[in-house]
Amino acid sequence: MTHYYQPEIECASREQITAWQNERLVKTVHHVYKNVPYYRKLMEEKGVTPDDIKSVADLHKLPFLTKADLRDAYPYGLLAVPLRDAVRIQSTSGTTGKRVVAFYTQHDIDLWDDCCARAIMAAGGTKEDVVQVCYGYGLFTGGPGLNGGSHKVGSLTLPMSSGNTDRQIQFMCDLEATILCCTPSYAAYLAESIHERGVRDQIKLKAGIFGAEAWTEEMRHDIENKLGIKAYDIYGLTEISGPGVAFECEAQTGMHINEDHFIAEIIDPETGEVLPDGSKGELVFTSITKEAFPLLRYRTRDICVLTREKCSCGRTHVKMCKPMGRSDDMLIVKGVNVFPSQIETVLLNQGYEANYQIIVTRENNSDKLEVQVEMTPEMFSDTLSQISAKEEELVEALKVMLGIYAKVRLVAPKSITRSEGKAVRVIDQRKLY
C-alpha cells in the first residue's frame, strides 16, 4: 500500500505543479533581487532584472550560483531576511577553505521537515513506526532533517546520531526500530556488526533511508539481504535545505524531486547550456519556497538524468536517477573518467564487500591506479597463489569496466578504516593543482 504525507501535493497534476513553480519562482526572484546585494550584482552583470522572469521558461536567463559564490559571500552575503528572522544555520562538512553556511527561518524548517516526512512515508513509514536516525546531528543536515520528518509523521524518533555502534544495536533491538536512517556505508557496517554479534533475529527493521554518499544498486541489494529490509535512496544538499530535496518511492527507480519547493535543470557542465529531459548532465537546483537562503540556479556538480515517465507509485513529481558521479571530484586517470561507483559495482559483482580504497599516484608523468580491497574472512585462509589469482580476476574485471589497468591488492579483513559517517573512498596523491 502506497503512503503519502501530502497526497494533494505529491500527486498533483503537472499543470498544477507548473503553476506553483511559475508563481513561486517570480516571487523568489523579486525577494532575492531586493534583499541580496550579492545576487543582485550577479543579475546586473548578466543584464537581467526581475521583470524579465515571468515563468519557469525564463529560468535560463538567470546567472548560476556555485560553491565558490557561497564561500565568497560567507557568512551573511546571501542571507535574504533580517538576521532576527533566521532561527538556525546548518553547514556542510567541507574541509577546504571556508565552510558553507545555510540559514533557515522557522517556516523554512517546517517545509524541510515536510519534505523529509514525505520521504519517510514513501518508505512505508507511519506513526506506528520507530525511526532510528543515525545520521550525524549538529551542523550536518542529515540528523536534523530526518529527525524533523519523523516527528511530522508522528513516528517514535530515536535521535542516535552517528557512531557508538554497540549502543545503536542495543537500542535497535530493545526499542524495536523499524526504519533506519544513515549513510549507506554505515548501514553496511551496522549489518556486518549485527551478524558478528549474532543478533540478526532480534532486529525488527523493515526499511532503511540511506543517502549523503554515492552507493550502487549492488550495495543496495547487499544491505537489503543482510538486514532483511527495503533500502530507499534520499538526496539533498545543505545549500538547498538538506536531505529530502528528492526521495525514492517503493518503485525504487529514481528519486522524486519535491518540485513544489525546488526546480531542477540538467545542464552541460562545460557550456552551462540547459539540456532536454532524458539527457545526462549536471544537476542545477532553484529554491522557490525558501525565505532565509533561497539559491537560484545552484550548480550541484552531481551528474544525473531526469525522467518524467509516469511512476507506478502515483506521484507526479519528476524523478532524478542516482547521481552517477560528480563533475568536480570525478577522477580522470590516463584521460579516462573513473567513478568510484564503477569500481564498487565490479567488487560487489565479484562477491566482495564494499570495503575498498582507490589510490591514485603519478610516476614519471604517468598515472597509476591501485584498488585495495578487503578480503572476505573465508578468503583470508587462502594460499598466496590463490590470493594472487583472485587479484588477477579483479584486474581483468576492472579493465572491462574502466577501460584501463588498475593494480589490485587484496588486504586483510577490517584493515581499511571503517567510516561511521562518509566513507573516504579515494586517496589521490597526484599533485594536480
Side-chain angles (χ1 to χ4, degrees), residues 24-34 36 39-40 42-43 48 50 53 59 61-66 69-70 78 80 239-240 261 263 265 284-290 293-300:
R24 292 168 184 182
L25 174 64
V26 170
K27 188 177 166 190
T28 301
V29 170
H30 279 272
H31 172 57
V32 168
Y33 190 84
K34 182 180 167 201
V36 184
Y39 198 74
R40 183 163 64 243
L42 288 182
M43 284 176 69
V48 61
I53 310 302
L59 189 59
K61 297 174 183 173
L62 292 168
F64 290 114
L65 277 174
T66 65
D69 289 307
L70 270 65
L78 288 168
E239 301 92 313
I240 298 296
H261 299 301
I263 301 172
E265 302 171 274
V284 172
F285 276 119
T286 295
S287 317
I288 51 173
T289 53
K290 295 283 287 289
F293 202 70
L295 297 187
L296 305 180
R297 302 199 84 203
Y298 181 71
R299 293 187 60 163
T300 67

Side-chain angles (χ1 to χ4, degrees), residues 217-250:
E217 284 303 305
E218 289 81 3
M219 189 171 180
R220 184 212 297 268
H221 297 316
D222 197 43
I223 293 168
E224 286 185 331
N225 291 335
K226 285 199 171 131
L227 289 176
I229 62 173
K230 195 159 176 176
Y232 295 84
D233 212 344
I234 189 167
Y235 177 88
L237 52 169
T238 302
E239 301 92 313
I240 298 296
S241 76
V245 171
F247 61 88
E248 216 167 29
C249 61
E250 72 258 24

Side-chain angles (χ1 to χ4, degrees), residues 17 75 79-81 93 96 103 115 122 130 143 155 160 173-174 186 226 280 311 319 324 328 340 351 430:
I17 293 169
L79 180 62
V81 295
S93 52
T96 53
F103 297 85
C115 289
V130 177
S155 309
M160 303 295 296
C173 295
D174 295 350
Y186 192 48
K226 285 199 171 131
K280 179 176 164 182
C311 186
K319 284 201 288 197
M324 301 164 171
D328 54 357
R430 299 172 295 176

